[in-house]
């Protein structure tokens, strides 16, 4: 007997349909899996055999051939356990086969027949809907994740017996349904509030500009000045994720296996903070079967690099291309995959090895040579890509003791939203541009015109600071955002002057 079941596999963040063909014929009892399966797929032979027997089904003592099509596509992971199990049951006529053509099956099988959740269900569900499948059968723990996709009937099953019952009497089972927009509206996220930050007016202003324009930001200051505290409050003033953005972010997290036990959608902008010992592949993604790294998990959100100069220079250089292009390409011998990586980079660092260069309270003990070597860890091309370079000084005693609270995140977020709306109107004919930081050279010429006074000021800054053409473009983008926050139709001299002030590292060197 021959049976064919539909499943899918993940390549990058995309899902590709996979046919699972099961043929049972005469010969010595043996089960073979062909079609470029990895070790986890090969091991499914033993899991499936034990699961079917322990679930009360018969396992054929015959030759079983499982073919995964297309044969030239590498298959990985335990998600093919369920379709292989269903294929064997269908080929031995132990289940009803009416729904097999219109449904896609996905799931890992335990030895007792229990279905375990797998990674990548959300992008597979989206692909299934586009391919015209009527529905999916997945483990119960993955059901709500798959049900996010509209127009797809999703059934969650706890074990193989439930799958057999579903195929025999689908009308007796309730499909999983969720109200996505209600889930987003009710989602509560504990994000630190800006009102907890005392003083630091200059740094708070830079944080607001970064949120309004999507600009990269680095805080430079001595230990205890509040750099990390400020950075962790950026998500609280960013615009909320739209439904399309939430779906896009959730698919990446699903591929990484972060949604299996966390619900349906990522409803808050991601905030990723890898340790400074992180390797290049963990940051940008990689592996023999490429998986998204920290920069892709921070897509549409924030990537925070604390103690920036403690990261290896070779690791930081991996960031240059994603910061410029908004995506990262991972190439392997058999395949090349592309992961989205449009994130806001926020970093913090001390001004020198001891941390107190320029501090009015504690004297710096570093030599000029030591400071030079310290900053040599950060390449010029990387720093050119950071729009806002902000000095953060330690609070004075009277500022530490003040009882009042600063402006809260909600108030700042309102101004940020207004500035973003102005930018959205400006880029309504360019849907690929979401904020000022993503403007192209053509956009700069069109939307960042300068009067003679502003032009002279910027030219003087370029000469004095030795800025590159890329750094000049970054200043123009920041100036455009400052003008948007002021609801000014054009960039004025005061906006250029403020943007130049946010080149702290350039002025230190």
């Amino acid at each position: 007997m021959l049976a064919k079941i539909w499943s899918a596999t993940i390549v990058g963040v995309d899902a590709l349909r996979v046919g699972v063909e099961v043929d049972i014929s005469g010969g010595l009892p043996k089960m073979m899996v062909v079609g470029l399966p990895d070790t986890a797929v090969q091991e499914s032979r033993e899991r499936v055999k034990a699961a079917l027997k322990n679930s009360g089904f018969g396992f054929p003592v015959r030759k079983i051939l499982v073919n995964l099509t297309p044969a030239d596509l590498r298959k990985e992971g335990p998600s093919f356990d369920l379709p292989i199990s269903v294929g064997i049951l269908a080929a031995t006529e132990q289940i009803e086969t009416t729904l097999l053509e219109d449904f896609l099956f996905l799931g890992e099988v335990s030895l007792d027949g229990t279905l375990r959740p797998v990674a990548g269900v959300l992008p597979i569900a989206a692909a299934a809907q586009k391919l015209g499948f009527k529905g999916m059968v997945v483990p119960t723990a993955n059901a709500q994740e798959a049900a996010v996709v509209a127009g797809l009937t999703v059934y969650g099953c706890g074990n193989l017996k439930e799958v057999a019952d579903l195929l025999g009497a689908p009308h007796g089972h309730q499909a999983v349904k969720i109200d996505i927009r209600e889930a987003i509206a009710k989602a509560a996220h504990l994000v630190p509030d800006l009102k907890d930050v005392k003083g630091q007016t200059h740094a708070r202003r830079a944080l607001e500009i970064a949120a309004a324009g999507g600009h990269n930001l680095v805080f430079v200051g001595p230990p205890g000045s509040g750099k990390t505290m400020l950075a962790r409050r950026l998500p609280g003033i960013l615009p909320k994720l739209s439904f399309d953005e939430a779906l896009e972010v959730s698919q990446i997290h699903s591929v990484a296996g972060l949604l299996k036990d966390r619900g349906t959608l990522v409803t808050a902008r991601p905030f990723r903070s890898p340790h400074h010992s992180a390797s290049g592949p963990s940051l940008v993604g990689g592996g023999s079967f490429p998986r998204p790294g920290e920069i892709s998990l921070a897509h549409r959100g924030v990537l925070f690099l604390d103690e920036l100069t403690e990261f290896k220079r070779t690791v930081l250089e991996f960031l240059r291309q994603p910061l410029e292009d908004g995506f990262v390409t991972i190439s392997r011998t058999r395949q090349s995959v592309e992961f989205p990586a449009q994130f806001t980079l926020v970093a913090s660092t001390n001004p020198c090895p001891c941390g107190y260069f320029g501090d009015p309270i504690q004297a710096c003990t570093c030599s000029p040579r030591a400071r030079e070597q310290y900053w040599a860890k950060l390449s010029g091309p990387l720093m050119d890509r950071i729009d806002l370079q902000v000095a953060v000084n330690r609070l004075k005693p009277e500022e530490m003791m003040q009882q009042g609270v600063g402006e809260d995140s909600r108030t700042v977020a309102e101004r940020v939203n207004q500035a973003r709306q102005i930018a959205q109107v400006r880029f309504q004919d360019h849907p690929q541009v979401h904020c000022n930081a993503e403007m192209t050279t053509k956009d700069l010429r069109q939307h960042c015109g300068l009067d003679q006074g502003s032009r002279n000021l910027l030219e003087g800054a370029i000469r004095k600071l030795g800025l590159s053409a890329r750094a000049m473009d970054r200043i123009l983008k920041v100036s455009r955002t400052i003008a948007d926050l002021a609801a000014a139709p054009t960039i004025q001299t005061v906006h250029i002057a403020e943007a130049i002030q946010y080149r702290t590292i350039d002025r230190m060197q």
Side-chain angles (χ1 to χ4, degrees):
M1 288 289 294
L2 175 66
K4 186 170 184 178
I5 313 299
W6 291 110
S7 188
T9 190
I10 295 293
V11 178
V13 292
D14 299 318
L16 300 179
R17 176 168 52 182
V18 173
V20 181
E21 300 174 337
V22 179
D23 178 70
I24 300 178
S25 60
L28 293 175
K30 184 179 181 180
M31 182 174 175
M32 296 183 296
V33 181
V34 298
L36 286 183
D38 74 340
T39 303
V41 180
Q42 290 281 12
E43 290 175 347
S44 67
R45 296 174 298 179
E46 305 304 325
R47 288 195 298 271
V48 168
K49 182 178 180 180
L52 289 176
K53 288 183 175 180
N54 292 329
S55 298
F57 297 105
F59 189 83
V61 188
R62 304 177 69 185
K63 181 181 178 180
I64 304 173
L65 177 61
V66 179
N67 180 38
L68 307 178
T69 62
D72 60 346
L73 176 65
R74 189 81 174 174
K75 290 85 176 179
E76 62 161 329
S79 60
F80 295 104
D81 289 2
L82 177 57
I84 291 174
S85 301
V86 173
I88 293 174
L89 293 175
T92 54
E93 299 181 345
Q94 298 184 69
I95 58 172
E96 178 61 47
T97 60
T98 307
L99 297 180
L100 297 187
E101 184 65 26
D102 298 324
F103 274 69
L104 189 147
F105 295 80
L106 205 70
E108 178 184 346
V109 176
S110 298
L111 298 186
D112 62 355
T114 302
L115 300 187
R116 295 173 53 81
V118 293
V121 170
L122 181 55
I124 289 175
Q129 193 271 338
K130 292 180 180 178
L131 290 170
F133 284 96
K134 292 182 179 178
M136 286 181 66
V137 178
V138 297
T140 302
N142 287 131
Q144 287 195 331
E145 180 182 341
V148 166
V149 179
L152 194 68
T153 302
V154 177
Y155 292 105
C157 296
N159 52 57
L160 289 177
K161 287 185 178 180
E162 290 184 20
V163 175
D165 292 341
L166 168 67
L167 295 175
H171 298 295
H173 292 74
Q174 187 71 31
V176 178
K177 295 181 179 179
I178 58 174
D179 189 332
I180 299 301
R181 301 191 183 278
E182 182 180 350
I184 293 177
K186 289 184 177 180
H189 308 285
L190 299 177
V191 180
D193 200 296
L194 265 177
K195 68 180 180 182
D196 301 327
V197 179
K198 296 180 179 180
Q200 306 296 8
T201 304
H202 185 58
R204 289 168 60 103
R205 170 66 172 173
L207 208 63
E208 180 178 341
I209 295 171
H215 301 290
N216 301 319
L217 167 68
V218 60
F219 287 124
V220 183
S225 57
K227 303 184 296 294
T228 302
M229 185 179 188
L230 284 160
R232 292 190 178 278
R233 279 149 180 78
L234 178 57
I237 61 175
L238 287 171
K240 293 182 179 179
L241 284 174
S242 66
F243 174 74
D244 290 339
E245 288 177 328
L247 191 61
E248 186 180 2
V249 172
S250 298
Q251 289 188 22
I252 299 172
H253 285 241
S254 177
V255 170
L258 300 180
L259 285 188
K260 289 193 291 185
D261 303 314
R262 298 187 183 182
T264 55
L265 279 179
V266 177
T267 55
R269 292 193 180 272
F271 183 90
R272 305 294 298 184
S273 180
H275 191 260
H276 59 72
S277 61
S279 65
S282 71
L283 205 61
V284 302
S288 55
F289 294 97
R291 285 289 181 263
E294 290 292 338
I295 63 173
S296 294
L297 294 174
H299 182 62
R300 302 295 182 198
V302 177
L303 177 69
F304 176 46
L305 302 183
D306 199 7
E307 303 297 342
L308 182 64
T309 49
E310 296 301 321
F311 284 81
K312 295 180 180 178
R313 176 165 177 159
T314 54
V315 172
L316 293 177
E317 293 304 297
F318 280 108
L319 295 175
R320 286 166 56 176
Q321 182 252 337
L323 284 173
E324 196 71 23
D325 300 334
F327 63 87
V328 60
T329 302
I330 308 295
S331 297
R332 294 292 180 265
T333 303
R334 291 183 177 270
Q335 62 182 348
S336 179
V337 299
E338 184 178 292
F339 294 115
Q342 289 184 324
F343 59 92
T344 298
L345 174 65
V346 180
S348 68
T349 182
N350 295 331
C352 65
C354 78
Y356 295 103
F357 178 67
D359 185 61
I361 300 175
Q362 187 166 338
C364 173
T365 59
C366 303
S367 66
R369 176 63 177 167
R371 289 195 294 269
E372 182 180 342
Q373 292 177 337
Y374 184 76
W375 283 109
K377 298 178 182 179
L378 305 178
S379 69
L382 176 63
M383 297 313 297
D384 272 352
R385 289 168 168 84
I386 298 181
D387 309 4
L388 303 166
Q389 306 164 4
V390 183
V392 182
N393 298 317
R394 284 198 288 176
L395 294 178
K396 298 177 181 178
E398 57 270 22
E399 290 178 316
M400 287 190 234
M401 298 303 297
Q402 68 181 15
Q403 297 298 318
V405 296
E407 196 173 33
D408 62 12
S409 293
R410 177 177 295 184
T411 303
V412 177
E414 290 177 357
R415 294 198 297 267
V416 168
N417 284 326
Q418 291 173 0
R420 287 264 186 161
Q421 289 171 7
I422 293 173
Q424 287 175 3
V425 172
R426 181 185 304 123
F427 304 127
Q428 58 186 350
D429 295 331
H430 304 278
Q432 71 278 7
V433 179
H434 299 86
C435 55
N436 290 331
E438 298 175 10
M439 282 192 290
T440 64
T441 303
K442 180 179 178 181
D443 295 323
L444 286 173
R445 289 197 301 266
Q446 183 177 354
H447 304 296
C448 297
L450 303 178
D451 57 28
Q452 191 59 47
S454 300
R455 189 181 300 274
N456 292 339
L457 179 61
L458 180 57
E459 183 179 343
I462 294 172
R463 292 180 185 277
K464 184 176 181 180
L465 302 178
L467 301 178
S468 66
R470 181 184 289 113
M472 182 194 72
D473 288 347
R474 299 281 173 172
I475 290 177
L476 289 174
K477 293 175 182 180
V478 172
S479 301
R480 182 64 267 177
T481 299
I482 294 172
D484 289 344
L485 285 168
T490 60
I491 297 176
Q492 301 170 10
T493 304
V494 64
H495 305 143
I496 289 287
E498 184 177 358
I500 293 172
Q501 290 300 309
Y502 297 119
R503 305 299 302 187
T504 296
I505 296 177
D506 294 324
R507 297 200 305 270
M508 289 174 60
Q509 297 176 341

